[in-house]
Amino acid sequence: MQKDKGMPLWVFLALSSIETRKGALILIWSSLLFSAYCIPWVNYFENNGWIKNLFLIDDWEWFSMMLPMTLWYWLSMKWVDKNRGWGLASNIREDQPG
């Protein structure tokens, strides 16, 4: 994504390598999925051995980092939706001589 004058730095940093809204949605959904993985499930299902082997996280540190990051990605996508649009990135590439 190209940074223009009106784009805040926090939006550019979140979506600098994302060119489409679909790519932003994939980033957000994968962040949500990893956030769910980061819940310390081991603390709630202590009797199941396969949960201990599958879910290695036993504290809330990763979840507490992933949730704000996912919110940041979502807010950045909403900013682009409202203020710039996703077509601008592809229009800039088409206008530049190759």
Side-chain angles (χ1 to χ4, degrees):
M1 175 174 286
Q2 298 285 331
K3 183 173 180 344
D4 53 8
K5 287 184 180 183
M7 179 183 287
L9 183 61
W10 62 271
V11 173
F12 176 71
L13 291 175
L15 302 173
S16 62
S17 62
I18 307 294
E19 297 292 333
T20 63
R21 188 172 199 278
K22 181 180 178 180
L25 285 172
I26 291 170
L27 174 67
I28 291 167
W29 280 108
S30 60
S31 295
L32 277 172
L33 183 65
F34 189 69
S35 296
Y37 176 81
C38 290
I39 294 172
W41 297 108
V42 174
N43 297 338
Y44 301 108
F45 300 99
E46 294 178 8
N47 297 333
N48 291 342
W50 68 272
I51 289 181
K52 275 188 173 179
N53 292 334
L54 182 62
F55 297 101
L56 303 175
I57 299 171
D58 62 352
D59 59 12
W60 289 94
E61 290 178 21
W62 278 97
F63 182 79
S64 64
M65 288 185 291
M66 286 303 301
L67 205 57
M69 285 175 42
T70 304
L71 179 64
W72 173 37
Y73 295 148
W74 181 76
L75 290 172
S76 298
M77 182 188 72
K78 289 300 180 184
W79 187 92
V80 172
D81 287 345
K82 182 178 178 184
N83 296 297
R84 182 179 183 215
W86 293 95
L88 186 62
S90 58
N91 289 343
I92 290 172
R93 263 191 271 136
E94 291 172 3
D95 292 342
Q96 294 175 350

